Amino acid sequence: MERYIVLNAQFLFTPGPVNVAENLRSAVIKSDICHRELEFDTLLSNIEHKILSLFQIEKRNRYRVVVITGSGTAANESMLSSVAGQGDVLILSNGEFGERLANTSKIHNAHTHVIEKPWGKGFDLSQIEAFLDAHKVSVIAMVHHETCSGMLNPLHLIGALAQKHGALFIVDGVSSVGAEPVDMEGCNIAFCSSSSSKAIGSYPGLSFVIGQTIQFEKLKHHKPKTTYLDLALFYRFLTTTGQTPNTPAIPLFFALDQALTNILSEGVVKRFDVIRQRANDLRRGMLKLNLKFLIDEKDMCSILTTVHVPWSVNVSDLRRRLRENGIIIYEGKGCFKDKVFQVGNIGEMTDLDIIFFLQNLEVALLKCQAGGNDDVDPIRKSWPTLKLLDQSEEPAIS
């Protein structure tokens, strides 16, 4: 099966950034407006209401959303620097981004504690509860989807512990929101962050924090620890002027608004189902190639699969060979470096793109195993060739 590549086009099989819908390209150059005028107030209000719909929140007055010009890390730092006041913070970490939460919290909160598990390993709830029994904690923070491994951490279990011990539960939902359900009320989540450029499917550069209105109101009693990322200031501007405290990246707001419209037009639940089906298709295809996954499928998020590299394959070589056909994947980081590669399935992606990826992955693996020899026929005889299409019914690709 041959795929015709547009010059300089890349197929982003990554957890973000992603290939965006065509109508976002039009939205990003939609109009020149001033961020201190009614047009921006309306735009920001529309985005807030659409994010509340994405979270399937019915009691709208109980939650508000602030939008920040900055990546998901900016939203996380905004929460960690603004919510705890002088109280103790407990960070639950089982990967790269849990470690980032811990490092960020330590900058802003003198009393930061960390319960750390190896990357890709689940939390021990009894250990967490024992810690909470012995320490008075104001805030518990956790990454929902730990991208370094692909693990989806349990919101409802940690939220229940936070509620039992009188702590606020804040969640890094940067890479899960838009692909996985996040029940703010049911999981006792006080604040949750996310990003424009992951499962929501827009351009990089914006993030947001959705939170309980009552908890936003309490932030004014805390002394600010930052200037740009003061969550209380963002909330005050939102509620008094309908604007942001600093000059926003207005074109990205137009694009985010369109991306949210796309999701709501498709239907939130259907959107989740489509992303999960893509993941299942990719995983079935990679299993047919005798590849093995880092973690059990039951623990995986629906946006990403982390795959063990066969012993005879160099991951950088594999990535280079895929890139030659415009396919971009991630390599492992930290303790997973040179041991895994990662395949995302969010953004604009078709069934044909998935087939194209899997067939290129098979060839790239064969070439890597052949030691750089492009003649892969000898090794192909012992390799489980992928057959995803009835060749007599293969669709034309233009």
Side-chain angles (χ1 to χ4, degrees):
M1 177 178 178
E2 187 174 3
R3 186 72 147 110
Y4 295 96
I5 308 296
V6 178
L7 185 63
N8 295 326
Q10 291 186 340
F11 298 94
L12 301 179
F13 283 83
T14 73
V18 300
N19 293 115
V20 302
E22 195 59 38
N23 58 7
L24 268 70
R25 302 182 193 282
S26 302
V28 80
I29 56 171
K30 184 174 183 179
S31 180
D32 296 329
I33 63 173
C34 177
H35 66 294
R36 296 300 183 218
E37 297 296 330
L38 178 62
E39 291 81 4
F40 182 77
D41 304 0
T42 302
L43 175 60
L44 184 57
S45 177
N46 288 341
I47 289 171
E48 180 181 18
H49 285 289
K50 290 173 184 177
I51 289 173
L52 292 172
S53 295
L54 174 63
F55 278 78
Q56 299 177 290
I57 290 174
E58 296 180 0
K59 299 175 181 177
R60 298 298 181 92
N61 62 320
R62 294 189 178 183
Y63 295 88
R64 297 302 303 264
V65 181
V66 301
V67 184
I68 300 169
T69 298
S71 68
T73 298
N76 286 336
E77 185 161 6
S78 179
M79 293 191 302
L80 289 166
S81 63
S82 303
V83 173
Q86 300 303 312
D88 284 26
V89 178
L90 173 62
I91 307 293
L92 306 181
S93 173
N94 61 350
E96 175 189 8
F97 292 93
E99 290 179 4
R100 186 177 297 183
L101 289 183
N103 291 335
T104 302
S105 183
K106 288 174 183 177
I107 292 171
H108 299 287
N109 304 296
H111 304 290
T112 294
H113 312 274
V114 183
I115 292 180
E116 190 169 9
K117 289 294 183 181
W119 288 21
K121 301 298 181 182
F123 294 113
D124 180 344
L125 294 180
S126 61
Q127 179 190 16
I128 297 170
E129 178 134 45
F131 183 91
L132 294 173
D133 286 338
H135 301 82
K136 176 61 178 175
V137 169
S138 298
V139 174
I140 301 173
M142 182 183 73
V143 176
H144 186 202
H145 171 228
E146 182 50 78
T147 314
C148 74
S149 64
M151 175 166 282
L152 198 66
N153 287 316
L155 294 180
H156 61 292
L157 295 176
I158 305 303
L161 285 178
Q163 185 174 40
K164 177 181 177 181
H165 291 271
L168 293 181
F169 185 31
I170 68 175
V171 173
D172 172 346
V174 169
S175 62
S176 61
V177 170
E180 296 281 352
V182 177
D183 184 351
M184 293 287 293
E185 187 168 15
C187 295
N188 188 44
I189 301 170
F191 296 98
C192 179
S193 65
S194 194
S195 165
S196 58
S197 62
K198 310 289 185 180
I200 289 174
S202 190
Y203 291 103
L206 294 183
S207 58
F208 62 83
V209 175
I210 177 172
Q212 297 171 351
T213 303
I214 189 172
Q215 298 301 334
F216 267 119
E217 291 287 349
K218 291 179 180 179
L219 297 180
K220 61 188 176 185
H221 302 300
H222 297 165
K223 182 179 179 180
K225 298 176 183 177
T226 68
T227 300
Y228 186 82
L229 297 176
D230 180 12
L231 198 55
L233 185 61
F234 273 92
Y235 178 70
R236 178 158 61 83
F237 266 76
L238 175 71
T239 54
T240 58
T241 68
Q243 299 169 1
T244 59
N246 306 292
T247 304
I250 293 174
L252 298 181
F253 278 71
F254 280 122
L256 175 58
D257 182 59
Q258 183 61 60
L260 291 165
T261 297
N262 292 349
I263 295 173
L264 298 179
S265 297
E266 183 179 9
V268 174
V269 174
K270 183 179 179 181
R271 172 74 162 218
F272 294 164
D273 289 343
V274 167
I275 291 174
R276 184 161 294 282
Q277 185 59 50
R278 288 180 194 163
N280 290 338
D281 290 344
L282 280 164
R283 289 166 189 170
R284 282 198 300 268
M286 290 189 286
L287 287 173
K288 288 181 181 179
L289 294 177
N290 284 348
L291 294 169
K292 299 184 185 303
F293 304 144
L294 177 70
I295 59 177
D296 291 339
E297 288 191 61
K298 64 180 176 61
D299 296 324
M300 293 182 191
C301 185
S302 62
I303 76 163
L304 178 72
T305 307
T306 303
V307 187
H308 281 294
V309 180
W311 67 269
S312 56
V313 172
N314 177 281
V315 67
S316 295
D317 186 28
L318 175 64
R319 184 174 180 274
R320 177 183 61 79
R321 290 181 182 279
L322 290 172
R323 184 183 171 86
E324 288 173 355
N325 281 330
I327 295 170
I328 307 299
I329 61 171
Y330 270 14
E331 296 185 33
K333 301 177 183 178
C335 61
F336 298 145
K337 183 173 174 56
D338 300 326
K339 298 177 182 178
V340 302
F341 64 91
Q342 296 187 298
V343 182
N345 52 270
I346 48 177
E348 288 299 290
M349 186 176 294
T350 67
D351 292 343
L352 290 178
D353 293 334
I354 291 173
I355 294 168
F356 175 65
F357 166 78
L358 289 169
Q359 292 187 333
N360 274 275
L361 176 63
E362 180 188 21
V363 172
L365 287 166
L366 288 167
K367 288 182 176 181
C368 288
Q369 288 207 331
N373 185 353
D374 285 344
D375 181 9
V376 298
D377 287 338
I379 197 168
R380 188 188 290 273
K381 293 178 181 178
S382 62
W383 189 271
T385 302
L386 188 69
K387 294 187 181 299
L388 292 170
L389 291 175
D390 179 347
Q391 298 302 313
S392 66
E393 300 178 358
E394 182 176 335
I397 305 174
S398 57

